[in-house]
Amino acid sequence: MKTLFIAIITLLSVTAAIAQDNKNTAKFELGKGLDINLNGGEYNFNLNGFIQVYGAYRNEKDGEDESLFGVKNAFFGFKGGALHNKFTFMLEANFADSNPLMDAWAAYNLQDYLTITVGQKQTFTNNREMIMHEKNLSMADRSIVSQYFSGTGRELGLFFESKLYLGKIALKPSIAITTGDGRNSFGSSSIDVDMGGLKYGGRLDVLPLGEFKSGNDGVGADFAREESPKLLVGGAMSYNDGASNKVGEGHGDFVLYDKDGDSKFPALRKIAADLLFKWQGWSIMAEYVNASATDLKGIYTKSTGDQPLQPEEIANYLNLGNGYNVQVGYLLKSGWGFDARFSKVKPEFKETETSPLWETNEYAVSVAKYFIDNRLMCQGAFTYLKNPNFKTANEKLSAEFSVQIIF
């Protein structure tokens, strides 16, 4: 932390001198950060971030009420490029998270049709909402589909992203090979090591009506107010060869064994299908996710190798089942935004007391006032959760007010 702040102060201290050179420029704009361009744009750097504070009230049936106040997100990012963005990098941390490092990657950009990235970044192998950055959501939180089948959405590995055109139709195929253990998966010491095998995934997005305005497919609301209808239809799948975390974004949360007492983990498969539609302030997002387990043969729950894992028992370790989410929003020209969604998750097997995933229905609405796009936002949201199979405390109502500023 101390080193980071020293680097920031040093960089800011030379900004004034840079701005005096015709080949070098420095400019700050709310929502876009501090841009520093050197040698006529051959090299560029950007300091940026966003803060989101909130207050919430939650009421649980047959439970205790609670009031919460805090910082939900406190991101700080540093990114840049060299040789006119042929090489790019990004370093980003969320200081409101107990494990703050979110993104740390470097990329090689081959023209406009292929980008090769190595490092830790937000993967494209999840559902559409999980591809969106936290600052770009139009609801107070991610849906239960995202929360139950993903974590932060960041993974460590190698990523290939491309873009092709068939006339007006845009195709965006992507492939990822990651450690399968989420963020910073090799741990903080020699005994906290990566577990299981690699994760292989891919995504294909099709835009039959042409591309969205720049960046408008990466935010929830239609800030660009698309003049003509725009549609994105996408599908993603992944295969995690040995998961030891309930959503495949961590390791060591549980241990299973082979007959000899050595660790052996099931494979976790995920499939996602989604669409995003925007037109003149309207936005519609629909998503479906399925998670299943395979390679269960030869797995035992005890190191003695005398208690084989039964097929339905795997649901006590992994979040397996189906989920879908439908969200509709409208953004007025005055900056007022209105959103509503319905989400549902349903486990593959019957729930038990140790199941990490229970059947849940979510109903949520939000009203937001945006100033200069989403660079400054005030939002109020209401969420109702219902667990049909809970005997007690099966309903939860929450109200939240938040303020977000992007700098």
Side-chain angles (χ1 to χ4, degrees), residues 285-301:
M285 181 172 63
E287 307 171 293
Y288 169 78
V289 175
N290 171 269
S292 59
T294 186
D295 295 344
L296 303 181
K297 187 176 180 179
I299 295 182
Y300 297 81
T301 58

Side-chain angles (χ1 to χ4, degrees), residues 41 72 83-84 91 108 127 153 162 188 239 242 269 273 278 327 337 345:
K72 182 180 293 186
L83 302 179
H84 299 284
L91 179 65
Y108 172 66
N127 54 298
S162 60
S188 57
Y239 178 86
R269 298 178 298 192
K278 292 187 177 183
Q327 180 175 319
V345 294

Side-chain angles (χ1 to χ4, degrees), residues 50-55 69-75 94-97:
F50 91 99
I51 299 172
Q52 188 179 50
V53 296
Y54 77 104
F69 299 91
V71 178
K72 182 180 293 186
N73 290 297
F75 275 73
N94 182 7
F95 296 105
D97 194 289

